[in-house]
């Protein structure tokens, strides 16, 4: 809300916000409904986003825009503000690219990251399988060494950016007997023989986001495409998951804020029984409670953001942020939809779409039941 000062953001972050908001209003908002119908965002939009500096914000040049996670958070918030749920920018910029930058060789980084910063190559990460979701250790995809290649076999599902991706980080077992210590990360490029994509998956929400099944049948991946050390994949995944969970929390808080403002405006303009809906005590109390809860969430998430910028955000606090943010987003967007009455159920009002899209926040990035387990370990 406009009376909430946010010291976590510097002047350069807020100047960047103006640029991002203009891009969203010009290049994304008018076309988003079409992308939802098509189930995919055109590759040309990714290239324009790269030209405008919206991709790989937190990585140094030439691998990114030379900013920090504060700039990434600005992009996440501005997309959430208009519920631009079709864009898989976060997966690309704040998950895949940081893995490559943190664990890749100089040759790997030079080969892939500049293209990703320009939006010429789109990134995806393939963890989830039909029989393994939040439990990464249970993956069954296997990569066996054969001379200068790994022979990759397995299936992945629910992969964001799955069809558009030019590079996919695949979680596979290179030594199945060793459990978590046998997991490695392989970078599989578009066009690799034996790597195929299934149909785009139809979802109840995030309908514009390109989500696919991926298949690997004796796909020969060069040993030079191993990311980091063999057998260290699980450790890398656990180290980077805190940022992924913070992304979900940042998005949730921004979504609540945007739709609280819209709901206040709607209830002030909508009349029922001769007076504005806003003038009923029930409405004002619901909105007041939402603002109080949002303020508390925003303060906590911004503290997590500040800790992350100092490289001090731990997995337990990140799990708390994801848990609280996604649960609150689901609850409050449901309240906001109710205050819109019948119009809340109409697709012309964005609240309905946002309400549906928010539901996956309690599932991806590790289900909220897993978040509770992480927090419980510290009790």
């Amino acid at each position: 809300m406009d009376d909430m000062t946010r010291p976590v953001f510097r002047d350069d972050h807020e100047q960047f916000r103006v640029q991002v908001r203009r891009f969203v209003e010009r290049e994304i908002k008018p076309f988003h409904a079409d992308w939802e119908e098509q189930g995919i965002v055109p590759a040309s939009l990714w290239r324009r986003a790269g030209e405008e500096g919206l991709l790989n914000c937190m990585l140094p040049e030439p691998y990114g825009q030379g900013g920090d996670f504060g700039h990434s958070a600005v992009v996440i918030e501005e997309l959430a503000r208009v519920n631009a749920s079709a864009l898989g920018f976060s997966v690309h910029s704040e998950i895949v690219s940081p893995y490559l930058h943190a664990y890749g060789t100089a040759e790997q980084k030079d080969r892939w990251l500049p293209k990703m910063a320009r939006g010429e190559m789109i990134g995806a990460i393939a963890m989830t399988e039909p029989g393994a979701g939040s439990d990464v250790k249970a993956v069954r995809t296997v990569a066996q060494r054969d001379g200068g290649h790994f022979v990759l076999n397995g299936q992945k599902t629910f992969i964001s950016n799955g069809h558009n991706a030019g590079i996919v980080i695949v979680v596979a077992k290179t030594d199945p007997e060793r459990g978590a210590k046998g997991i490695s990360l392989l970078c599989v490029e578009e066009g690799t023989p034996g790597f195929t994509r299934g149909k785009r998956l139809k979802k109840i929400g995030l309908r514009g986001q390109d989500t696919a099944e991926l298949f690997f049948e004796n796909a020969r991946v060069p040993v030079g495409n191993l990311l980091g050390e063999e057998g260290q994949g699980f450790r890398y995944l656990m180290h980077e998951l805190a940022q992924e969970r913070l992304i979900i929390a940042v998005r949730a808080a921004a979504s609540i804020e945007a739709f609280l403002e819209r709901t206040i405006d709607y209830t002030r303009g909508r009349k029922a029984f001769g007076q504005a809906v806003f003038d009923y005590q029930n409405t004002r109390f619901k909105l007041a409670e939402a603002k109080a809860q949002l303020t508390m969430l925003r303060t906590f998430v911004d503290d997590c953001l500040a800790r992350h910028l100092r490289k001090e955000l731990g997995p337990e606090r990140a799990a708390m942020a994801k848990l609280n943010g996604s649960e609150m987003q689901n609850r409050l967007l449901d309240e906001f939809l109710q205050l819109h009455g019948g119009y809340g159920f109409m697709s012309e009002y964005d609240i309905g779409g946002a309400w549906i899209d928010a539901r996956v926040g309690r599932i991806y990035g590790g289900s909220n039941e897993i978040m509770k387990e992480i927090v419980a370990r510290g009790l």
Side-chain angles (χ1 to χ4, degrees):
M1 306 298 287
D2 55 10
D3 59 342
M4 291 171 65
T5 57
R6 303 183 63 195
V8 69
F9 289 114
R10 303 184 304 263
D11 287 346
D12 60 307
H13 293 138
E14 294 301 348
Q15 289 163 8
F16 182 55
R17 187 184 300 278
V18 174
Q19 177 185 338
V20 175
R21 187 168 292 188
R22 284 179 184 152
F23 183 87
V24 169
E25 293 291 334
R26 183 182 73 245
E27 302 282 354
I28 294 175
K29 194 175 175 183
F31 311 105
H32 196 268
D34 293 336
W35 299 337
E36 289 193 313
E37 290 292 327
Q38 295 155 11
I40 195 167
V41 174
S44 58
L45 185 278
W46 284 83
R47 290 192 292 273
R48 288 199 295 278
E51 290 167 8
E52 293 273 344
L54 271 65
L55 302 177
N56 289 13
C57 294
M58 62 182 287
L59 297 188
E61 297 176 340
Y63 307 133
Q65 312 304 331
D68 58 24
F69 189 78
H71 296 92
S72 295
V74 166
V75 176
I76 294 162
E77 290 186 347
E78 290 306 307
L79 292 175
R81 190 179 66 84
V82 298
N83 198 47
S85 61
L87 285 304
F89 287 177
S90 290
V91 171
H92 171 97
S93 296
E94 282 78 52
I95 298 175
V96 178
S97 292
Y99 273 109
L100 295 174
H101 188 255
Y103 307 113
T105 63
E107 188 276 331
Q108 288 173 336
K109 290 190 280 191
D110 290 342
R111 183 166 23 138
W112 297 318
L113 286 172
K115 290 180 186 175
M116 294 177 73
R118 295 192 296 267
E120 296 167 5
M121 175 180 273
I122 297 168
I125 186 163
M127 281 191 269
T128 304
E129 298 181 0
S134 296
D135 184 6
V136 179
K137 286 180 280 192
V139 297
R140 298 176 66 181
T141 298
V142 174
Q144 293 179 309
R145 186 76 176 261
D146 181 25
H149 291 80
F150 286 100
V151 180
L152 185 63
N153 282 284
Q155 177 183 351
K156 300 290 184 177
T157 193
F158 309 147
I159 308 306
S160 300
N161 298 338
H163 269 271
N164 268 331
I167 185 162
V168 183
I169 298 176
V170 179
V171 179
K173 284 184 174 166
T174 47
D175 189 349
E177 302 300 315
R178 299 193 69 205
K181 292 182 179 178
I183 291 175
S184 302
L185 305 182
L186 294 177
C187 300
V188 181
E189 296 175 273
E190 189 175 28
T192 299
F195 166 35
T196 57
R197 310 169 207 243
K199 62 185 179 184
R200 286 198 297 276
L201 300 174
K202 292 185 178 180
K203 310 177 293 297
I204 62 169
L206 307 182
R207 291 187 299 117
Q209 199 169 110
D210 160 26
T211 308
E213 291 180 303
L214 306 181
F215 302 94
F216 306 95
E217 188 173 355
N218 294 324
R220 294 183 67 81
V221 182
V223 170
N225 282 25
L226 174 69
L227 186 60
E229 296 179 40
E230 189 172 341
Q232 295 297 308
F234 186 77
R235 183 171 67 84
Y236 298 155
L237 292 169
M238 294 305 103
H239 186 263
E240 300 296 328
L241 277 173
Q243 179 163 293
E244 182 176 351
R245 286 158 186 168
L246 178 59
I247 289 166
I248 295 167
V250 168
R251 184 182 295 129
S255 171
I256 295 167
E257 180 181 47
F259 284 96
L260 174 57
E261 290 174 353
R262 293 188 194 191
T263 305
I264 291 169
D265 290 342
Y266 177 83
T267 55
R268 280 186 166 140
R270 176 76 175 167
K271 282 192 164 50
F273 301 101
Q275 67 181 50
V277 173
F278 181 84
D279 291 333
Y280 287 96
Q281 186 184 64
N282 177 69
T283 303
R284 294 198 312 279
F285 279 13
K286 291 282 188 187
L287 294 171
E289 187 177 24
K291 182 174 181 180
Q293 292 179 24
L294 166 63
T295 303
M296 186 169 58
L297 176 67
R298 172 74 85 190
T299 302
F300 179 62
V301 170
D302 278 1
D303 177 70
C304 289
L305 182 50
R307 288 170 185 258
H308 191 50
L309 288 168
R310 299 193 303 267
K311 303 193 186 319
E312 296 173 2
L313 181 65
E316 184 179 341
R317 191 167 286 260
M320 291 177 185
K322 192 265 185 187
L323 173 64
N324 287 331
S326 59
E327 293 286 347
M328 191 180 292
Q329 182 188 18
N330 274 256
R331 187 173 68 252
L332 292 182
L333 290 188
D334 190 75
E335 297 276 13
F336 299 159
L337 190 152
Q338 186 71 18
L339 290 172
H340 278 74
Y343 286 102
F345 211 64
M346 300 295 109
S347 58
E348 66 190 276
Y349 282 83
D350 292 341
I351 181 62
W355 173 70
I356 294 170
D357 290 342
R359 185 60 183 83
V360 76
R362 290 159 60 192
I363 299 171
Y364 66 7
S367 71
N368 281 5
E369 289 72 24
I370 300 296
M371 298 306 101
K372 292 172 187 177
E373 283 288 347
I374 292 169
V375 176
R377 287 173 200 158
L379 297 179

